[in-house]
Amino acid sequence: MPELPEVEIVRQSLHKKIKKKSIKKVIIRNRNLRFKIPSDFESFLKNKKIIEVSRFSKYLIIHFQNEDYFLIHLGMSGTIHILDKKKPLKFTNTSFYHSPFLPKKHNHAEFIFDSLKVIYNDPRRFGFFEIINNYQDLQKRFKLMGPEPFSDKFNLNYVVNYFKKKNKDIKSFLLDQRFVSGIGNIYASEILFASKINPFKKAKRLNKNECLDIISNSKKILQQAINKGGSSIRDFKDISGNKGTFQKEFKVYQQEGANCKRTKCKGIIKKKITSNRSTFFCVSCQK
């Protein structure tokens, strides 16, 4: 599943390509995504002018001129492809998941502009679309979600108070979107390694310095991943022909059996599966 950095790369590509453009036509080939696309979806979006593409957590937010909003969540396997008539693109994929080229199957929706087509592809159909009618409803939509790691609200006071008397392990909290929004399995493992914290340590046992390390390393690692184009696990390219290279920076993720990369640590990276998720950590320096 794309995590915050990968969704941010998609956002940047879309913002660059469709800002200030109007949707001329919408074609829905399959309405059965995670939530069924309503019958008036096409007419609602037709002739809407886009003023911005933003993001919250793993959600893409299309802002329209009349203050309506269109949310896109990519789910497990969703990708967005851009076809440009004026400047044909060798690589159509705005992210690094699945084929860099437009697939022939599972193209469920097309958003047609004057010289562009934006196509939503999703083999597993866990992604979804959502229309929001005003800013107040947009705020309510994310009310139950935690702050993003980059937010000023993700601070020591918030984290310490949230962890009080909590028996759940810290790795589970980093994946819990009610606590913090946008972190997934890859980056949770990397953040905890950078913080020298065992993923299975109870949250209530973390001291203030450990909480500060988690806050700091969350911001640092996610920003590094964005700067490097995300993690291109399958080594594919985006619409500019660039590859996400953060996977070259992995210290623990998918490093099972390797020597710890921390200087002077002689530990080995271990993999443990809990709740169908793989957790990677150093058995020596993550306490």
Side-chain angles (χ1 to χ4, degrees):
M1 176 187 286
E3 298 185 27
L4 186 154
E6 290 73 50
V7 177
E8 173 60 19
I9 301 305
V10 177
R11 184 205 69 79
Q12 292 174 10
S13 296
L14 279 176
H15 184 76
K16 180 180 178 181
K17 287 289 186 177
I18 66 177
K19 182 184 177 183
K20 297 183 179 180
K21 291 182 169 60
S22 296
I23 299 172
K24 299 302 181 184
K25 186 178 180 181
V26 178
I27 299 172
I28 302 299
R29 304 191 185 281
N30 188 346
R31 295 187 183 275
N32 298 312
L33 301 182
R34 189 193 305 184
F35 307 119
K36 191 166 185 175
I37 299 173
S39 58
D40 62 348
F41 182 78
E42 295 95 320
S43 59
F44 180 86
L45 291 182
K46 187 176 180 180
N47 296 321
K48 284 280 199 300
K49 185 174 182 180
I50 295 165
I51 59 171
E52 183 184 358
V53 181
S54 68
R55 179 195 54 73
F56 178 78
S57 183
K58 302 173 187 178
Y59 291 80
L60 294 163
I61 308 173
I62 312 296
H63 299 240
F64 294 120
Q65 193 171 36
N66 62 350
E67 297 188 349
D68 291 328
Y69 303 88
F70 170 34
L71 305 187
I72 302 174
H73 193 285
L74 299 173
M76 296 291 292
S77 62
T79 52
I80 293 176
H81 295 258
I82 296 177
L83 279 67
D84 191 336
K85 291 179 184 177
K86 291 183 179 179
K87 186 182 178 182
L89 301 167
K90 181 179 179 182
F91 304 108
T92 62
N93 198 343
T94 56
S95 65
F96 307 102
Y97 288 79
H98 308 287
S99 174
F101 313 105
L102 179 66
K104 293 181 180 179
K105 296 181 179 180
H106 310 298
N107 294 318
H108 303 310
E110 293 185 17
F111 304 90
I112 299 169
F113 299 82
D114 281 334
S115 61
L116 291 175
K117 264 188 190 180
V118 174
I119 298 176
Y120 179 75
N121 180 278
D122 191 349
R124 299 182 70 181
R125 291 187 282 119
F126 287 144
F128 61 89
F129 303 154
E130 189 173 340
I131 296 298
I132 305 290
N133 291 310
N134 54 65
Y135 181 73
Q136 289 73 26
D137 286 348
L138 183 67
Q139 295 295 100
K140 289 178 184 176
R141 177 63 179 79
F142 299 118
K143 187 177 180 180
L144 297 179
M145 296 180 67
E148 283 204 341
F150 297 120
S151 169
D152 290 339
K153 295 178 181 178
F154 189 58
N155 55 40
L156 181 61
N157 185 58
Y158 169 77
V159 172
V160 169
N161 285 326
Y162 202 99
F163 285 167
K164 280 181 179 177
K165 300 181 181 179
K166 296 292 198 307
N167 282 312
K168 196 160 65 172
D169 63 75
I170 180 56
K171 169 77 182 301
S172 295
F173 271 113
L174 289 180
L175 298 179
D176 187 343
Q177 302 301 297
R178 294 167 296 181
F179 167 60
V180 60
S181 296
I183 297 175
N185 201 39
I186 295 173
Y187 298 106
S189 289
E190 293 296 316
I191 289 164
L192 290 171
F193 174 78
S195 304
K196 296 184 179 180
I197 296 171
N198 187 292
F200 306 104
K201 188 171 185 176
K202 302 290 186 184
K204 67 181 181 181
R205 294 180 180 170
L206 295 175
N207 60 43
K208 287 187 177 180
N209 285 334
E210 289 173 320
C211 290
L212 282 171
D213 285 341
I214 287 171
I215 294 165
S216 174
N217 286 316
S218 294
K219 299 177 193 294
K220 179 181 176 182
I221 287 171
L222 291 173
Q223 188 59 58
Q224 286 176 344
I226 291 168
N227 293 345
K228 291 180 178 292
S231 297
S232 182
I233 303 300
R234 294 185 178 87
D235 205 29
F236 287 134
K237 302 180 180 181
D238 69 359
I239 59 172
S240 301
N242 299 316
K243 291 187 289 187
T245 59
F246 189 73
Q247 71 277 5
K248 296 177 182 177
E249 308 294 324
F250 288 165
K251 301 295 190 298
V252 288
Y253 189 77
Q254 293 186 335
Q255 305 296 309
E256 181 184 14
N259 295 326
C260 180
K261 294 182 180 180
R262 184 170 275 121
T263 305
K264 296 182 180 180
C265 180
K266 296 182 180 180
I268 302 295
I269 305 304
K270 184 177 179 180
K271 174 182 176 181
K272 185 175 180 180
I273 298 177
T274 54
S275 302
N276 294 319
R277 290 180 180 271
S278 298
T279 296
F280 298 87
F281 62 103
C282 174
V283 295
S284 180
C285 65
Q286 287 182 255
K287 302 297 185 181

